[in-house]
């Protein structure tokens, strides 16, 4: 299995195109793909003001509030109150969307994927989970608390010496390939599984 540790401290914030907040990209597939070329993209967004979302034709979006009280998302004229923390909420990126803060700034974990090429499943997990990328796909785990630990299983079920790699808040693990890894969280993590359509 190919495993990459993606540290939160290495991510530089960038302003949104419309200036309504900043974004810190966690990972894209393929790696380094721009806004018009990604199959999937995961990022953390700091939202400090009400305003429109960027239109993303052909893209499905999943928003999970990881800090703050939440948002009223108006998607294609329909209100969606996203006030349950750590509850993934999907909506199409094609429709005009505006976000209104319910009670101050929020941090959202955003998953975006092109529906014609990729499928993404997003779940909030706690405890010990296996990272099992589908054939040709990938798994991304984002730690929501300090103290998560990653151990990679070797042939025959053995694990790497040293017990694994420690992950702090918003650190991530990107895994692809056949051999499983094991993520032990002290709190919660967001687990996103990407597969081809």
């Amino acid at each position: 299995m190919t495993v990459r540790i993606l540290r939160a401290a290495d991510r530089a914030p960038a302003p949104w195109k419309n200036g309504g907040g900043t974004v810190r990209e966690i990972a894209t597939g393929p790696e380094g793909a721009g806004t018009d070329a990604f199959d999937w993209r995961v990022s953390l967004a700091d939202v400090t003001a009400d305003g429109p979302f960027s239109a993303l034709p052909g893209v499905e979006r999943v928003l999970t509030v990881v800090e703050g009280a939440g948002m009223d998302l108006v998607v294609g004229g329909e209100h969606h109150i996203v006030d349950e923390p750590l509850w993934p909420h999907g909506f199409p990126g094609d429709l005009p969307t505006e976000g209104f803060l319910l009670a101050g700034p929020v941090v959202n974990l955003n998953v975006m994927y092109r529906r014609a090429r990729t499928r993404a499943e997003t779940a909030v997990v706690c405890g010990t989970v296996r990272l099992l990328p589908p054939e040709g796909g990938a798994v991304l785990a984002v730690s929501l608390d300090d103290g998560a630990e990653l151990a990679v299983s070797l042939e025959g079920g053995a694990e790497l010496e040293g017990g694994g790699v420690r992950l702090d808040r918003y650190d991530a693990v990107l895994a692809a390939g056949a051999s499983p890894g094991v993520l032990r969280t002290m709190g919660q993590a967001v687990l996103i599984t990407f597969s081809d359509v």
Side-chain angles (χ1 to χ4, degrees):
M1 179 167 68
T2 304
V3 176
R4 291 177 52 213
I5 307 299
L6 307 169
R7 297 290 184 188
D10 296 334
R11 296 178 203 133
W16 292 1
K17 278 197 294 188
N18 66 14
T22 58
V23 66
R24 291 162 283 160
E25 185 175 286
I26 297 172
T28 58
E31 185 179 353
T35 305
D36 297 326
F38 66 78
D39 289 343
W40 57 264
R41 179 177 186 237
V42 179
S43 62
L44 284 165
D46 296 287
V47 186
T48 58
D50 300 340
F53 282 42
S54 299
L56 297 167
V59 172
E60 291 293 320
R61 302 182 69 153
V62 180
L63 180 150
T64 305
V65 176
V66 295
E67 291 181 41
M71 304 180 75
D72 175 8
L73 285 183
V74 183
V75 182
E78 185 176 310
H79 288 264
H80 301 259
I81 303 299
V82 185
D83 60 352
E84 181 85 27
L86 308 182
W87 188 272
H89 183 84
F91 60 100
D94 320 77
L95 296 178
T97 300
E98 289 186 275
F100 299 93
L101 298 169
L102 296 178
V106 298
V107 177
N108 296 325
L109 186 126
N110 293 304
V111 177
M112 295 179 269
Y113 60 98
R114 292 195 197 282
R115 66 177 72 95
R117 301 199 295 250
T118 304
R119 183 173 53 219
E121 296 175 10
T122 303
V124 176
V125 298
C126 185
T128 299
V129 293
R130 285 201 173 277
L131 305 182
L132 294 170
E135 186 174 340
V139 173
L140 180 71
V142 181
S143 178
L144 298 179
D145 300 284
D146 291 337
E149 185 178 271
L150 172 74
V152 178
S153 298
L154 304 173
E155 294 292 331
E159 293 185 356
L160 291 173
E161 279 187 49
V165 177
R166 179 186 162 84
L167 302 176
D168 291 323
R169 190 176 200 198
Y170 299 143
D171 286 349
V173 178
L174 179 61
S179 298
V182 175
L183 179 70
R184 296 183 184 96
T185 65
M186 297 300 288
Q188 293 175 300
V190 178
L191 188 71
I192 309 117
T193 303
F194 299 100
S195 55
D196 294 336
V197 171

